[in-house]
Amino acid sequence: MSPRVAILQFPGTWSERDFEHALSLVDAETEILWHTEVDLSGFDAAIVPGGFSYGDHVRAGAIARLSPAIAELKRFAAEGGPVLGSCNGFQILCEAGMLPGALIRNAALEYISDWVRVRVEDDGTPFTEGLKDAVLRMPIGHGEGCFVADPTALERIEQDGLVLFRYGDERGIATGDADPNGSVNNIAGLRNAAGNVVGLMPHPERCAEEILGGTDGLKMLESLVASVGDRSPLRIGSP
Amino acid sequence: MRFTATIHVRPKAEVRDPQGEAILGALGSLGLGVTSVRTGKEIVVTFDADDEAAARRATDTMGRELLANPVIEDFRVELGTA
């Protein structure tokens, strides 16, 4: 049975169709939900795509956080539903307090559109099954991707193993040169303590086909489909 | 009563401020001995509240819920009557 995945859409979201297409490649059913009409009952996972929700005014993701969609997303996540936020979606998850820390203006103040490599630090999430220590090559496109947290929060993030993706070189080593935007400790993405909420600055949906320059993003979506299959009550008792 | 509040938002001292760093570099070229720059923003809001205490509660909520991100920013409020 193919999983049903909700894709949230705010004013200014721009990657919802890319996710829709990429998820079709792994035979997931998708539905794009306008942010005022989000009901996640019956869905197996929810995606918060990239873009410039509300024009990034106040701070990237700050206004989207006040949308009714976020209350529903928090309910869904509290019940263990898998949630993935990419780029602006990651910023929204941090603003909403669903992930720790925050994303500020890139250290060099430039918008960056490029390919990066990230090392996957943990396979205990629905989006990284079987990917521990894998080095994924994915595109980024953002002006506010510099991850920050105060020293106490950062220590807790590291101690609790919440860093899921770290910018690295070809071998996955987190060098200064590999960090495109000044993120502290090369942090490119996080998971929550329960592991079901994941956010990252790179765009897995934009590297799901060879024609787009890479397929590493597809691995994360394949992981989602596999993990939903594992946790579906319909599968219990079947061989 | 109608109030006007100016809400000043600044990155916390321990959080890096890339815009401040860029301005520091530029001011350095003027040779004025500038050693540190921190940036912020101010937001001016006009609103109605029953009294000053209610107005303070309102601006506190505005700051916490939207105008500042408590994870990385501090804010302070100057309150006046419109």
Side-chain angles (χ1 to χ4, degrees), chain A residues 5-22:
Chain A
V5 181
I7 304 171
L8 273 52
Q9 184 188 34
F10 298 90
T13 297
W14 76 7
S15 225
E16 72 277 19
R17 301 278 167 202
D18 290 352
F19 262 111
E20 182 180 51
H21 175 69

Side-chain angles (χ1 to χ4, degrees), chain A residues 181-204:
Chain A
N181 50 31
S183 291
V184 65
N185 292 9
N186 284 44
I187 292 171
L190 297 175
R191 42 162 278 192
N192 66 347
N196 63 313
V197 178
V198 167
L200 76 169
M201 286 314 297
H203 286 275

Side-chain angles (χ1 to χ4, degrees), chain A residues 29-61:
Chain A
E29 279 179 41
T30 53
E31 200 171 323
I32 293 173
L33 301 178
W34 182 244
H35 74 114
T36 55
E37 292 152 19
V38 173
D39 176 358
L40 295 174
S41 40
F43 283 97
D44 297 304
I47 307 278
V48 190
F52 292 86
S53 59
Y54 298 90
D56 274 356
H57 292 303
V58 187
R59 294 173 308 279

